[in-house]
């Protein structure tokens, strides 16, 4: 059962905040049908991510990586934003509350839902790059090569190895995007953390940064997270169920305070 007091407390924090930053992980997209690292029967229970989504493994056995990634990207391209994504878009567009989304996801569902400032700190599955000549490709063009039977897509200019623009284990995060994310967390007076186990670094240092500067924190995650004890509000429920309720309560509080 959803704890109504926590819903009200989260809505109050949103009402009182002027600069809200949201930090999301794979859990926000499970209700869109994209498995997180933990879902039983999901992609990651069949492909060990540290083996199949690892940069040095990609260079040695790109065909293994592409077998896994083809399946993942088919799921990602078929997925639609869920109520958690669309609620965050409404908190930006309709209520000017959410300033930035920092996401670990590569599924571009926040952009498709309508949020405009989205920092994709682990990259995006929408594009791919040639590792030799740096030519950028739309992922949908690479998908055609895979569908034609190529098991390792190659650059049409230099025959180099093509890699989706997603950060693999063992790769650096894009420096500029990570720096922007740190700046946004520093500017925030409220950080809402949704659907992340907070175990992947350096992404997981962002919530700790917020803690050290006294920024208010809301955690929405079905399982406990390492930051729960220090957060102002913790809700262990599905994001797509709980976020619309928080929005409704926030609108109620906002309307009440303006009359
Ligand atoms: P994670 O898989 O480690 O943790 C996800 C968390 O979300 C879990 O604690 C789980 O309990 C929770 N969760 C699951 N469904 C939920 C829901 N409906 N509502 C609220 N919480 C829910 O994810 P992570 O911390 O993001 O780290 C995984 C890494 O894998 C990230 O780097 C991410 O980029 C990548 N990844 C991305 C996608 C994607 O783009 N959708 C999918 C799988 C993995």
């Amino acid at each position: 059962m959803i704890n109504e007091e926590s819903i009200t407390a989260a809505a109050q924090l949103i009402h009182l905040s002027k600069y809200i930053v949201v930090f999301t992980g794979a859990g926000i997209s499970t209700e869109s049908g994209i498995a997180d690292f933990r879902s039983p029967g999901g992609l990651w229970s069949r492909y060990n991510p540290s083996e199949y989504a690892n940069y040095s493994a990609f260079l040695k056995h790109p065909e293994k990586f592409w077998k896994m990634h083809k399946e993942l990207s088919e799921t990602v391209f078929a997925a639609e934003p869920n109520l958690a994504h669309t609620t965050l878009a409404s908190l930006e567009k309709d209520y000017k509350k959410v300033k930035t989304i920092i996401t670990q996801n590569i599924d571009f569902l926040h952009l498709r839902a309508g949020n405009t400032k989205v920092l994709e700190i682990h990259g995006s599955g929408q594009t791919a790059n040639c590792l030799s000549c740096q030519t950028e490709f739309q992922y949908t063009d690479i998908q055609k090569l895979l569908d034609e039977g190529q098991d390792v897509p190659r650059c049409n200019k230099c025959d180099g190895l093509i890699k989706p623009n997603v950060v693999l284990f063992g790769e650096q995060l894009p420096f500029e995007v990570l720096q922007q994310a740190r700046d946004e967390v520093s500017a925030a007076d409220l950080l809402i953390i949704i659907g992340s186990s907070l175990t992947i670094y350096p992404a997981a240092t962002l919530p700790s940064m917020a803690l050290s500067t006294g920024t208010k924190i809301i955690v929405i995650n079905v399982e406990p997270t390492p930051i729960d004890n220090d957060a102002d509000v913790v809700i262990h429920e599905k994001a797509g169920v709980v976020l619309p309720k928080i929005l409704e309560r926030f609108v109620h509080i906002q309307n009440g305070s303006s009359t």
Side-chain angles (χ1 to χ4, degrees):
M1 236 201 24
I2 295 182
N3 178 333
E4 292 298 322
E5 277 174 27
S6 303
I7 300 284
T8 303
Q12 282 283 9
L13 278 179
I14 291 173
H15 175 60
L16 294 173
S17 301
K18 300 209 166 351
Y19 202 104
I20 301 177
V21 173
V22 181
F23 177 81
T24 67
I28 197 168
S29 296
T30 54
E31 290 162 82
S32 293
I34 305 171
D36 63 7
F37 275 174
R38 282 136 220 279
S39 309
L43 185 76
W44 306 109
S45 59
R46 284 174 290 120
Y47 299 98
N48 176 353
S50 55
E51 183 188 346
Y52 281 84
N54 177 292
Y55 188 63
S56 46
F58 168 75
L59 294 177
K60 268 192 228 146
H61 295 291
E63 71 292 347
K64 265 175 97 171
F65 167 84
W66 277 108
K67 184 171 184 288
M68 177 275 296
H69 193 79
K70 182 172 186 285
E71 193 176 329
L72 172 63
S73 55
E74 279 166 4
T75 308
V76 163
F77 276 87
E80 293 294 332
N82 64 50
L83 284 173
H85 298 105
T86 53
T87 301
L88 293 177
S90 174
L91 279 169
E92 177 189 322
K93 284 187 299 189
D94 305 328
Y95 300 100
K96 318 287 177 232
K97 281 288 181 182
V98 165
K99 303 298 177 203
T100 307
I101 307 264
I102 301 169
T103 188
Q104 299 169 85
N105 297 340
I106 53 106
D107 58 28
F108 44 92
L109 288 178
H110 289 300
L111 288 166
R112 286 190 52 206
N115 281 104
T116 56
K117 189 161 176 197
V118 181
L119 298 174
E120 297 169 308
I121 56 175
H122 289 169
S124 166
Q126 277 194 101
T127 56
N129 250 56
C130 169
L131 292 185
S132 302
C133 71
Q134 311 308 325
T135 298
E136 185 170 279
F137 299 91
Q138 286 304 308
Y139 187 80
T140 42
D141 292 333
I142 304 304
Q143 183 67 47
K144 283 183 199 141
L145 301 178
L146 295 168
D147 292 342
E148 282 163 19
Q150 287 192 26
D151 55 359
V152 178
R154 294 247 163 216
C155 176
N156 55 8
K157 296 200 171 119
C158 74
D159 203 39
L161 208 49
I162 292 173
K163 184 181 135 316
N165 278 331
V166 299
V167 177
L168 301 182
F169 287 108
E171 267 191 301
Q172 299 278 351
L173 268 61
F175 178 78
E176 252 179 50
V177 183
L178 185 60
Q179 192 51 48
Q180 283 174 38
R182 289 187 175 126
D183 292 345
E184 287 303 305
V185 171
S186 302
D189 54 3
L190 173 63
L191 182 70
I192 308 179
I193 301 168
I194 307 168
S196 176
S197 61
L198 301 180
T199 50
I200 307 281
Y201 284 83
T205 58
L206 294 167
S208 321
M209 250 185 78
L211 262 187
S212 67
T213 52
T215 304
K216 301 281 183 204
I217 294 182
I218 299 173
V219 174
I220 299 170
N221 205 71
V222 290
E223 291 171 318
T225 79
I227 212 165
D228 285 7
N229 287 342
D230 299 307
D232 296 275
V233 179
V234 177
I235 304 177
H236 291 153
E237 292 287 347
K238 287 185 174 179
V241 173
V242 100
L243 276 165
K245 289 185 190 298
I246 293 174
L247 175 64
E248 197 185 314
R249 194 74 46 92
F250 155 70
V251 173
H252 184 72
I253 293 169
Q254 179 164 273
N255 290 344
S257 72
S258 63
T259 50

